[in-house]
Amino acid sequence: MSAFTLSLPFQTPHQQQNPINKNHSFRSPPKPPSSNQKPTSDSPSYSSWIEQLRSHTRSGNFHEAISVYIDMTTAGLRPNNFAFPAVLKAVTEIQDFNLGEQVHGVVVKLGYDASSVTVANTLLNMYGKCGGLNDVLKVFDKITERDKVSWNTFIASLCRLEEWELALDMFRRMQFDKVEPNSFTLVSMSLACSNLENRHGVMLGKQVHAYSLKIGDTMSFTNNSLMSMYAKLGRIQDSVSLFEMFPGKNIISWNTMISSLSQQDLFQEAMAVFKLMILEEMKPDGVTISSVLPACSHLELLHHGKQIHAYAIRNNNLIENSYVSSALIDMYCNCREITIARKVFDRLVNRSLANWNAMLAGYTQNGFYDSALVLFFKMMEFSGLSANPTTMASVIPASVHCESFHDKEGMHGFIVKMGFSKDGYVQNALIDLYSRIGKINISRNIFDRLEIKDTVSWNTMITGYVVCGFHEHALDLLHKMNQRDETHDQNLEKVTCKPNSITLMTVLPGCAALAALAKGKEIHSYAIRNLLATDVAVGSALTDMYAKCGCLNFARKVFDEMPVRNVITWNVMFMAYGMHGKGDVAMSLFNRMVAEINPNEVSFISLFAACSHSGMVDEGLELFHKMKDKYGVDPTEDHYGCVVDLLGRAGRLAEAHELITKMPPRFKKLGAWSSLLGACWIHQNVDLGEIAARNLLEFESDVASHYVLLSNIYSAAGFWKKATEVRKTMIKNGVKKEPGCSWIEFDDEVHKFMAGDFSHPQSEKIHGFLEKLLERLKQEGYVPDTSCVLHDVNEDEKESLLCGHSERLAIAFGLINMPPGVTIRVAKNLRVCNDCHSAIKFISKVVGREIVVRDVRRFHCFKDGNCSCGDYW
DNA sequence: ATAGGGTTAG
């Protein structure tokens, strides 16, 4: 609506031309009252103008009412204390703040703001609904004879402007001025209290409640507001008591109760109240439906949800209610019935933004990222609606995970353009976006500049570091999150963000990757103290962490004590036993598992790996042959890869090769070929190794490990020239070998060592230590095996290169710094080479220490000159 | 006086 200026014709009565801008758009042009003569204030038709104005407002024709008002003033008539309330009400309803201000001007000129309480009160109401705080205060100040309505309107306006504290102050001043609060006042007060900080809100809320009892207020809306207030302040029990004791329950009481329970995540209870409502023959309306559906959604009560859907269609076509349809879509999506959700969506006649958003969220949350993006672009083009921050909170993750969508950073541009950059959800989603495209610094930048960091912000940032492999930073940030929590004002419960179960399961894989046992234990104790350890996901992550830190016993203990286990929990345990070379235990656990719960694809991958590392070829093959018929899991290309590894590692290379050739054609064979190549290196088979490498390099000429394995196979067989050639091709193709890297946790820090690396502060000491150690090893009978050294150098040099292998540096560091008797735990990013394996066996004997080395595939526990893997790995 | 759709995880 265009703004226009209204000058005051009565200020200079002789001036007859009127500068009203007639562009104001009205539905129907106003008709002046019957006579052609201009009415004057004392002519009989004056009252008919006023009456017309009032009747338009009364019957809801606000635009017409305003028209009459304008014509009236154009004609030089003064509005009176009947005209002003009518026009102000109309202005308020259509939210035309500009016109409101102009009418205000007229009111002031004519002195009604001080002389008529009714006019002043409607003015107050107008500013409360479409103005600002200053206007409200100014108008209220002017009223000399404040009545109860003035106070109530004033307080209600303050609430609408979210000035909760001020509203409460005014409640006190009202009583001080000897004006008795009534139901209207108490409704506003309940609303104000429910928006205060928790403890404070409850305290004042109880006073409001007591006040209502004192004045014997039994109005249903007072009771309903008090219920709502208690619920929002987390005092659901008080809310329920009010509900139960109140004799005058109406539909709104029921709805309030159901929605309050839903909002407090008390879904079972919400369902129970809903059922009671039906029993008491109270007819649910749209609000009821949209309050109870979230409960069905969270409890995944698809059946109930469908019944409610049917009810909504039968009764009054409640499905047309946008709240109802959004809740339905959400319910179906949460029950993973995306197709039904989409049908509901497609059949809607008018789609609200909430409908689109619910559908988009449903797609994203169920992993249908492409569908989410397609729908989003459709919405942008055809719906006539524009996205809001909620839309983008679903679209950003969809764009991040959608592989065929490339312009991920473009989303950020769009966000900025739309002005959504300061929305918390959007910012968190952007942090995730940048970390997943490897631009972790941008993530951190956004994170650092967040005005409010909630738990999700911290979790997302920590996950980002884990995703990018910066595990130390992840642990650092967890530490900071905790610090922040400790120093936080206990009164501000709403803004605290303690680590939750998601935080822990995000950061535990970081500990596992770093083999940071001490840190992992610290997190474990934190989980116990904060009652998070019983969470399935946390328990599974703890089990995994202990297993990957080499503490199989701890892993098993956590596993045994978990109150609930899911597929992932079991899979983690299989993997754990597999990495420790205990395939037999994994298999017997599997038999226990299938009595309780169905295995999935990952279960079989873990089990094959376990069998493979334990030489249990036949057990593994048997499982492979019956996984589909007995357990209903179709083998995938990954399973084939595992079985090729199983056969190959055991030296059954021909069978492994045959299995690859028999793979169903829909499968990619790369994984299987690379398993075979690895096996050819172990068993020194040049012919098959060449075949495998050829098949791999045709598609993956940029993977260093293929070149390295082939070249190692050649050198081990003495084909030095061929080995060198492979290495040259690799360099020519610009492929860089991933540098070997090992690490060890010491003194609350993870120390990293690269192969041939001299950057560590203790580097000199370590190398000196290793030189002396080498002499002692040789005395014990250690003979260096240089076959896996790629470089074509003389034997002496090779030996010193071997000494530089990163695992040896890490072990030496541990031996120098850690007290005797403490097990040395080292992790490595590549496989331990033959020579290091045999050297570490000797080291464990010479220094009398247990040494645990975890490489990419499994654990090696060295003790008294032996290794737990029995040289089979 | 009552109602909605969103971000993080294995």
Side-chain angles (χ1 to χ4, degrees), chain A residues 88-277:
Chain A
L88 283 169
K89 166 116 201 301
V91 165
T92 309
E93 290 297 328
I94 62 167
Q95 300 257 310
D96 189 335
F97 181 56
N98 276 315
L99 181 53
E101 270 192 318
Q102 287 160 38
V103 176
H104 182 190
V106 184
V107 169
V108 171
K109 284 292 167 206
L110 298 179
Y112 281 112
D113 57 334
S115 69
S116 165
V117 196
T118 317
V119 173
N121 289 346
T122 38
L123 204 50
L124 204 52
N125 186 46
M126 186 276 292
Y127 279 124
K129 283 192 178 148
C130 51
L133 180 58
N134 278 337
D135 304 308
V136 171
L137 292 175
K138 230 184 282 167
V139 174
F140 184 70
D141 222 40
K142 271 282 185 72
I143 309 175
T144 43
E145 302 288 318
R146 290 164 192 156
D147 62 4
K148 197 172 289 195
V149 178
S150 315
W151 281 100
N152 282 345
T153 312
F154 180 48
I155 291 175
S157 302
L158 293 177
C159 286
R160 223 171 280 116
L161 295 163
E162 302 190 2
E163 294 286 345
W164 315 113
E165 296 277 1
L166 194 51
L168 281 155
D169 277 350
M170 291 304 119
F171 176 58
R172 292 185 203 104
R173 254 190 69 190
M174 171 182 188
Q175 292 169 70
F176 189 75
D177 275 16
K178 299 279 183 293
V179 181
E180 177 134 311
N182 63 6
S183 305
F184 288 100
T185 333
L186 296 182
V187 167
S188 296
M189 278 0 302
S190 309
L191 183 65
C193 290
S194 62
N195 283 288
L196 293 177
E197 173 275 317
N198 210 283
R199 218 174 302 176
H200 190 202
V202 172
M203 198 182 75
L204 294 175
K206 281 186 173 167
Q207 287 176 16
V208 172
H209 187 178
Y211 196 93
S212 90
L213 294 175
K214 195 182 97 186
I215 62 171
D217 183 356
T218 54
M219 299 298 283
S220 62
F221 52 80
T222 313
N223 196 67
N224 293 340
S225 319
L226 287 168
M227 275 172 62
S228 171
M229 172 198 75
Y230 278 126
K232 279 187 190 142
L233 291 169
R235 305 287 289 237
I236 196 76
Q237 201 44 53
D238 293 310
S239 179
V240 171
S241 307
L242 271 176
F243 176 72
E244 285 174 341
M245 306 297 282
F246 188 60
K249 287 188 201 63
N250 57 11
I251 180 104
I252 293 171
S253 320
W254 285 95
N255 291 348
T256 306
M257 195 68 261
I258 294 172
S259 65
S260 300
L261 290 167
S262 256
Q263 280 161 6
Q264 298 288 320
D265 289 357
L266 296 166
F267 302 115
Q268 307 267 13
E269 290 79 357
M271 286 305 294
V273 174
F274 177 68
K275 283 177 185 164
L276 206 62
M277 178 178 178

Side-chain angles (χ1 to χ4, degrees), chain A residues 656-671:
Chain A
H657 185 209
E658 194 191 340
L659 185 64
I660 298 179
T661 56
K662 280 190 186 157
M663 273 174 77
R666 69 196 139 101
F667 289 147
K668 281 193 186 132
K669 298 182 177 181
L670 290 172

Side-chain angles (χ1 to χ4, degrees), chain A residues 6-7 9-10 15-20 22 38 49 67-77:
Chain A
L6 183 60
S7 73
F10 2 88
Q15 186 185 329
Q16 281 303 321
Q17 80 270 37
N18 197 304
I20 284 184
K22 281 285 187 176
K38 274 185 199 128
W49 281 89
S67 255
V68 173
Y69 171 80
I70 288 170
D71 283 353
M72 191 179 153
T73 50
T74 312
L77 290 176

Side-chain angles (χ1 to χ4, degrees), chain A residues 219-497:
Chain A
M219 299 298 283
S220 62
F221 52 80
T222 313
N223 196 67
N224 293 340
S225 319
L226 287 168
M227 275 172 62
S228 171
M229 172 198 75
Y230 278 126
K232 279 187 190 142
L233 291 169
R235 305 287 289 237
I236 196 76
Q237 201 44 53
D238 293 310
S239 179
V240 171
S241 307
L242 271 176
F243 176 72
E244 285 174 341
M245 306 297 282
F246 188 60
K249 287 188 201 63
N250 57 11
I251 180 104
I252 293 171
S253 320
W254 285 95
N255 291 348
T256 306
M257 195 68 261
I258 294 172
S259 65
S260 300
L261 290 167
S262 256
Q263 280 161 6
Q264 298 288 320
D265 289 357
L266 296 166
F267 302 115
Q268 307 267 13
E269 290 79 357
M271 286 305 294
V273 174
F274 177 68
K275 283 177 185 164
L276 206 62
M277 178 178 178
I278 307 283
L279 280 178
E280 302 212 350
E281 297 184 342
M282 185 60 86
K283 210 168 147 36
D285 66 1
V287 179
T288 322
I289 302 294
S290 55
S291 306
V292 77
L293 276 173
C296 297
S297 170
H298 283 272
L299 298 170
E300 301 192 16
L301 298 171
L302 181 59
H303 184 68
H304 286 74
K306 280 185 172 170
Q307 282 186 334
I308 293 172
H309 186 181
Y311 175 91
I313 294 171
R314 275 199 316 272
N315 289 273
N316 219 1
N317 215 11
L318 289 176
I319 197 107
E320 294 289 311
N321 178 328
S322 136
Y323 285 83
V324 170
S325 48
S326 300
L328 267 176
I329 293 169
D330 175 71
M331 184 276 295
Y332 280 120
C333 289
N334 238 332
C335 296
R336 288 174 292 279
E337 293 286 355
I338 320 294
T339 322
I340 306 183
R342 183 58 193 254
K343 264 186 200 151
V344 173
F345 177 83
D346 282 338
R347 282 180 197 163
L348 294 176
V349 187
N350 290 309
R351 283 178 209 102
S352 70
L353 185 57
N355 293 143
W356 288 92
N357 288 350
M359 197 64 236
L360 286 168
Y363 277 136
T364 297
Q365 285 160 0
N366 284 281
F368 297 109
Y369 305 117
D370 306 22
S371 311
L373 289 183
V374 169
L375 191 68
F376 172 62
F377 291 125
K378 192 170 159 189
M379 167 181 148
M380 297 297 283
E381 198 167 349
F382 300 112
S383 74
L385 296 166
S386 65
N388 70 0
T390 304
T391 319
M392 299 320 291
S394 297
V395 172
I396 298 169
S399 74
V400 170
H401 294 286
C402 178
E403 285 172 14
S404 53
F405 181 82
H406 298 293
D407 187 20
K408 303 193 198 290
E409 277 172 273
M411 292 310 274
H412 193 179
F414 181 76
I415 296 296
V416 173
K417 211 166 71 191
M418 298 292 288
F420 299 156
S421 312
K422 46 190 196 331
D423 181 275
Y425 284 87
V426 168
Q427 287 170 319
N428 289 343
L430 284 174
I431 293 174
D432 187 55
L433 182 145
Y434 279 110
S435 73
R436 285 183 196 278
I437 58 174
K439 303 200 171 177
I440 191 76
N441 290 334
I442 303 183
S443 296
R444 184 59 194 252
N445 224 319
I446 300 173
F447 177 78
D448 284 338
R449 291 205 303 231
L450 288 179
E451 271 179 40
I452 297 166
K453 295 181 178 63
D454 62 8
T455 309
V456 176
S457 318
W458 288 89
N459 289 352
T460 310
M461 195 61 230
I462 291 173
T463 309
Y465 280 130
V466 174
V467 165
C468 293
F470 298 128
H471 303 290
E472 297 97 329
H473 291 274
L475 293 177
D476 249 25
L477 210 56
L478 176 73
H479 194 62
K480 285 217 180 79
M481 185 178 183
N482 256 324
Q483 272 179 341
R484 196 190 118 96
D485 183 33
E486 281 158 20
T487 57
H488 215 281
D489 184 356
Q490 299 260 311
N491 289 324
L492 299 172
E493 285 169 44
K494 280 185 181 171
V495 271
T496 57
C497 45

Side-chain angles (χ1 to χ4, degrees), chain A residues 501-638:
Chain A
S501 61
I502 293 179
T503 323
L504 301 192
M505 47 191 296
T506 310
V507 82
L508 279 169
C511 296
L514 288 173
L517 180 60
K519 203 60 173 177
K521 281 184 174 168
E522 200 180 291
I523 293 170
H524 189 179
S525 74
Y526 181 90
I528 294 170
R529 273 182 278 128
N530 292 278
L531 307 176
L532 296 168
T534 46
D535 185 284
V536 215
V538 172
S540 309
L542 281 169
T543 308
D544 187 51
M545 181 276 295
Y546 279 123
K548 288 190 176 142
C549 289
C551 302
L552 190 54
N553 292 340
F554 280 6
R556 181 58 190 259
K557 193 158 183 292
V558 172
F559 175 85
D560 283 338
E561 285 170 4
M562 280 174 70
V564 184
R565 286 181 275 264
N566 63 18
V567 204
I568 295 169
T569 323
W570 288 95
N571 294 349
V572 161
M573 209 60 231
F574 300 152
M575 201 48 127
Y577 280 114
M579 289 188 81
H580 286 83
K582 301 192 174 180
D584 48 339
V585 188
M587 283 305 292
S588 65
L589 263 186
F590 174 68
N591 290 322
R592 251 184 69 194
M593 173 202 192
V594 292
E596 288 179 29
I597 178 175
N598 290 328
N600 67 5
E601 291 181 2
V602 180
S603 314
F604 290 98
I605 303 234
S606 314
L607 288 166
F608 294 148
C611 290
S612 177
H613 290 303
S614 310
M616 295 164 57
V617 186
D618 295 324
E619 288 89 337
L621 281 178
E622 192 192 333
L623 200 60
F624 179 60
H625 289 126
K626 66 185 185 191
M627 63 183 279
K628 178 165 187 205
D629 295 334
K630 192 159 175 191
Y631 303 107
V633 179
D634 274 316
T636 64
E637 57 199 49
D638 293 333

